Amino acid sequence: MSVAKSLSRIHPAQIRISVRLLVLILFTVGNGGVANAQQSDAKNTPPAVTISAPEPLRDLLKTHFQLPMTQLVDETDRATFMRRARKQISELLATEGYYTPTMTLHSATPHAIPGTIPVLEVIPGPRTLVTEVDIEFKGDLATDESGRRARIEKLRAAWPLGAGQPFRSPAWEEAKAILLSSVAAEDYAAAEIEESKAEVDSDSHKARLLVIVDSGPAFRFGNLEIKGLSRYDPTLITGLAPFKVGDSYRRDQLLSFQTKLQNLPQFNSAAVNIKPDAVTHQAAPVEVVLSEAQSQRVSVGAGYSSNTGGRGEINYTNNNFLDRALLLNGGLRLEQKRQTLSTTVESVRDQAGRWFSLGAGAERTFIQELETVREKVGISRNQLYDKTETRFALNWQREDRAPKGGLHQINETLVLDAQLRYRSVDDPLFPRDGMVTEVRIGGGSKQALSDQNFLRTYIRHQFWYPIGKRDVLLLRGELGYTFAPSRFGIPQEYLFRAGGIQSVRGYAFQHLGVREGEAIVGGRTMATGTIEYNHWFTREWGAAVFTDVGDAADSVRQLDLAVGYGGGVRWRSPVGPLALDLARGQRDGKLRLHFSIAVAF
């Protein structure tokens, strides 16, 4: 259909409505543009009055006091402005302890230079100081008993707004909140401030403070009242409680109990609290409100690493295996240089942070012309306490190793293994300050299902140190040594190779080791180290320069530390830290790109 025919079908009334609509749209857009321009001009236009005040108070007044944006053309405008200024600025300065300020508007004179802006001079006057603090207690805490008297003295000594300090409203409110929180943290869940008073003498610039705290009765824990539990036995919850019925109330124990429940994979959320009802203080019920998570889940993921190439994986999780709240994890991971099939069954952590796990798996690798196929089963006892994790394991392993041009062997071993890891960082995903230390020792014997006698030792320490607001210095070192008559008969997991990401960049993954035929195999000793400097241009993007050194060999004397150095890009991605590094290996002079990223679906 032609345009002319299309237009001929339009009714005249429709044309009139369309024209009106078009005019209305243009008028709205035009006015919107004018309004936006006016708002932009208002933002860019300097105020008609400036403030002169002591430096500590200038920012407070600029932030919270609205200056006029239009000129004060006559005495009426100036009087109106000064009434508002005296009221609002006096209230602002009172929060900082200044109760007798004076304000003067220095207006432009008839002979002043055109465009001169009037100045509002603010003189805060003397600052009011705290001269007397009276903290009184009522309720059970006020009982004349040595333990309670000692606690009262401790509470009074911890009061942060003492005599001689400036009286500020925020500090006054904060001090009361800290005091009440300290009282309510132990025994007295229903504590409250019965009375608080600050008497300010503006003439003498002195403040006298009075706080009366009613502790109420001493509370003890009662029975657990569990809500939202359907699939699991209540003993899963009761076994994690750090208190018993009749124990004295402690707020930190409630919070610890709640954190343990929140960390369980069986629940989406958990909330623990008691009702501060004085009637039930001798056995206050503890309410536990839970939201159960889906018990089974299948996830897939993909990624890439310059160490092992492209990766695809599928994982299955069951949080209620055998209907006993056991955690079953199974997964298949396919990488270009490594393929792994594994499964583990874990118990729920107990009150002390202990749990047991049973696992089995099979893995094939082809790295640096060394092909390995291993089957493995093991059982371990694990514990996480604060920042320290320990693991004691008994593992049996069978490995078929086939180095190209080297000796083909099948090695079996039964290893008793111990591991300790200490982690103290400000952010577990993007650390900027802190450290991680790992120590591991394990071995096997010919007398106990092993083809070789050996004892493997390993230590790693990594340290982050913040420099200024944007920079971070990273230091890393690791040492390993396997005591054994020979490396033959020992699976590769208990020997050492180096090179690649998180090792010595500038060299291929596990390229540093012992040459056997055309392959690189693990040696009995290893040492590596890193120094890296990161600068963050924005919250998400940064750059790094680094130097890595290290080597792996069959003896300490044979170690010949290789050096790699370069730089790279850092990105705090939504799925985790990403590093793209270009490094030069000093041994061969080649440049190598090191990169890794993983995405879960």
Side-chain angles (χ1 to χ4, degrees):
M1 182 180 295
S2 67
V3 175
K5 291 182 179 180
S6 300
L7 292 175
S8 67
R9 294 173 178 267
I10 301 177
H11 193 273
Q14 292 176 319
I15 296 177
R16 288 194 295 272
I17 293 174
S18 300
V19 171
R20 291 175 182 174
L21 182 60
L22 179 60
V23 171
L24 179 60
I25 292 173
L26 292 175
F27 179 77
T28 303
V29 172
N31 276 321
V34 171
N36 291 335
Q38 290 175 344
Q39 291 175 0
S40 177
D41 290 342
K43 290 181 180 179
N44 297 326
T45 301
V49 176
T50 60
I51 288 182
S52 172
E55 185 64 35
L57 301 175
R58 193 177 305 159
D59 291 339
L60 172 71
L61 298 179
K62 287 183 177 180
T63 302
H64 298 286
F65 179 67
Q66 180 65 49
L67 291 169
M69 303 304 295
T70 59
Q71 296 294 326
L72 305 179
V73 297
D74 53 30
E75 288 301 324
T76 301
D77 286 349
R78 285 191 284 270
T80 302
F81 167 69
M82 286 304 295
R83 281 195 299 271
R84 180 172 68 87
R86 289 191 178 95
K87 180 179 184 299
Q88 295 181 1
I89 292 179
S90 295
E91 292 173 351
L92 287 172
L93 295 182
T95 65
E96 295 296 317
Y98 299 97
Y99 291 91
T100 57
T102 58
M103 282 154 269
T104 306
L105 181 63
H106 300 283
S107 302
T109 64
H111 302 289
I113 300 173
T116 301
I117 300 175
V119 177
L120 177 63
E121 182 182 19
V122 178
I123 301 176
R127 197 171 200 180
T128 298
L129 302 179
V130 176
T131 58
E132 183 181 338
V133 179
D134 185 11
I135 303 176
E136 299 178 6
F137 295 92
K138 298 174 61 177
D140 182 80
L141 182 56
T143 304
D144 190 13
E145 184 267 332
S146 60
R148 290 173 173 81
R149 288 196 302 269
R151 185 175 177 188
I152 287 175
E153 291 304 317
K154 185 177 179 180
L155 290 168
R156 286 173 174 161
W159 175 260
L161 190 59
Q165 295 186 9
F167 176 75
R168 300 173 55 250
S169 294
W172 166 235
E173 297 301 326
E174 182 181 5
K176 291 187 291 182
I178 292 174
L179 174 63
L180 181 61
S181 177
S182 299
V183 175
E186 297 182 5
D187 298 314
Y188 305 110
E192 61 181 4
I193 293 180
E194 183 178 272
E195 182 181 356
S196 66
K197 183 168 56 176
E199 295 180 349
V200 177
D201 187 337
S202 58
D203 294 331
S204 61
H205 313 292
K206 296 178 180 180
R208 293 184 295 273
L209 309 182
L210 169 66
V211 182
I212 301 176
V213 179
D214 185 356
S215 70
F219 278 69
R220 294 185 177 275
F221 288 117
N223 293 318
L224 297 183
E225 296 181 353
I226 303 173
K227 301 178 181 179
L229 197 66
S230 61
R231 287 196 289 263
Y232 305 102
D233 191 275
T235 55
L236 175 64
I237 310 302
T238 57
L240 293 178
F243 50 80
K244 306 185 299 295
V245 174
D247 285 353
S248 297
Y249 167 79
R250 296 292 184 268
R251 184 174 58 201
D252 60 344
Q253 291 184 339
L254 279 186
L255 295 176
S256 174
F257 186 26
Q258 178 174 279
T259 300
K260 289 177 181 178
L261 295 176
Q262 289 172 341
N263 290 336
L264 290 179
Q266 286 83 2
F267 303 109
N268 285 323
S269 64
V272 180
N273 57 75
I274 69 168
K275 294 180 180 179
D277 188 346
V279 176
T280 61
H281 71 94
Q282 293 182 340
V286 179
E287 185 180 61
V288 181
V289 181
L290 302 167
S291 173
E292 294 183 349
Q294 186 176 350
S295 60
Q296 299 185 66
R297 180 186 176 191
V298 177
S299 61
V300 296
Y304 178 83
S305 166
S306 55
N307 279 356
T308 54
R311 176 171 81 247
E313 60 183 305
I314 182 169
N315 296 283
Y316 169 75
T317 302
N318 188 333
N319 297 328
N320 195 23
F321 183 57
L322 301 178
D323 292 327
R324 298 181 64 86
L326 298 174
L327 179 62
L328 171 67
N329 281 307
L332 173 65
R333 173 179 289 192
L334 301 177
E335 301 171 276
Q336 289 177 273
K337 299 180 182 179
R338 179 169 54 197
Q339 300 83 45
T340 306
L341 177 64
S342 63
T343 183
T344 60
V345 178
E346 296 184 352
S347 65
V348 176
R349 296 181 187 180
D350 63 16
Q351 182 179 331
R354 290 186 296 262
W355 75 98
F356 292 87
S357 62
L358 175 66
E363 181 182 72
R364 176 190 176 275
T365 67
F366 187 74
I367 301 170
Q368 298 299 327
E369 303 299 329
L370 171 64
E371 181 179 12
T372 62
V373 177
R374 67 170 62 100
E375 301 89 32
K376 183 177 180 180
V377 295
I379 185 172
S380 66
R381 173 193 177 276
N382 316 278
Q383 183 171 13
L384 179 62
Y385 178 76
D386 194 19
K387 301 175 182 179
T388 302
E389 181 177 352
T390 57
R391 178 177 178 269
F392 298 93
L394 184 65
N395 298 312
W396 177 85
Q397 183 178 139
R398 179 184 185 275
E399 179 186 78
D400 186 336
R401 67 187 287 276
K404 186 176 181 181
L407 179 63
H408 182 198
Q409 279 190 319
I410 295 179
N411 303 318
E412 294 185 5
T413 188
L414 181 67
V415 177
L416 184 63
D417 204 4
Q419 182 178 4
L420 180 147
R421 177 179 296 170
Y422 175 80
R423 174 180 294 181
S424 177
V425 293
D426 57 342
D427 187 327
L429 195 58
F430 305 109
R432 189 172 185 269
D433 187 8
M435 56 175 284
V436 174
T437 300
E438 180 181 351
V439 179
R440 185 174 176 181
I441 183 170
S445 170
K446 289 183 179 180
Q447 306 301 318
L449 302 179
S450 293
D451 293 337
Q452 180 65 279
N453 297 320
F454 70 92
L455 179 67
R456 181 187 188 270
T457 60
Y458 174 80
I459 183 170
R460 176 176 67 95
H461 181 74
Q462 195 158 324
F463 178 76
W464 292 266
Y465 182 76
I467 299 176
K469 294 183 178 180
R470 291 181 176 268
D471 297 359
V472 182
L473 178 65
L474 166 65
L475 301 175
R476 180 192 62 83
E478 61 177 347
L479 296 171
Y481 192 86
T482 299
F483 298 88
S486 167
R487 71 174 184 274
F488 294 103
I490 304 176
Q492 292 296 298
E493 181 179 343
Y494 303 103
L495 298 171
F496 303 98
R497 288 188 284 182
I501 301 171
Q502 296 181 342
S503 182
V504 185
R505 287 161 290 187
Y507 301 87
F509 180 51
Q510 296 190 351
H511 177 72
L512 303 174
V514 178
R515 181 165 292 279
E516 185 177 324
E518 300 179 32
I520 301 295
V521 302
R524 289 182 296 139
T525 184
M526 178 268 295
T528 71
T530 292
I531 179 169
E532 178 175 305
Y533 192 89
N534 291 268
H535 174 73
W536 291 94
F537 300 101
T538 67
R539 176 65 179 83
E540 291 80 20
W541 289 95
V545 292
F546 57 84
T547 298
D548 298 334
V549 297
D551 193 20
D554 232 356
S555 67
V556 174
R557 291 183 178 180
Q558 293 174 328
L559 283 174
D560 181 18
L561 297 181
V563 179
Y565 49 87
V569 177
R570 300 291 180 267
W571 178 37
R572 292 188 175 105
S573 76
V575 295
L578 177 147
L580 176 63
D581 292 323
L582 183 63
R584 180 181 184 271
Q586 193 176 39
R587 283 185 178 179
D588 55 16
K590 292 183 178 180
L591 290 173
R592 289 183 173 86
L593 193 66
H594 300 276
F595 172 75
S596 68
I597 189 170
V599 179
F601 301 98

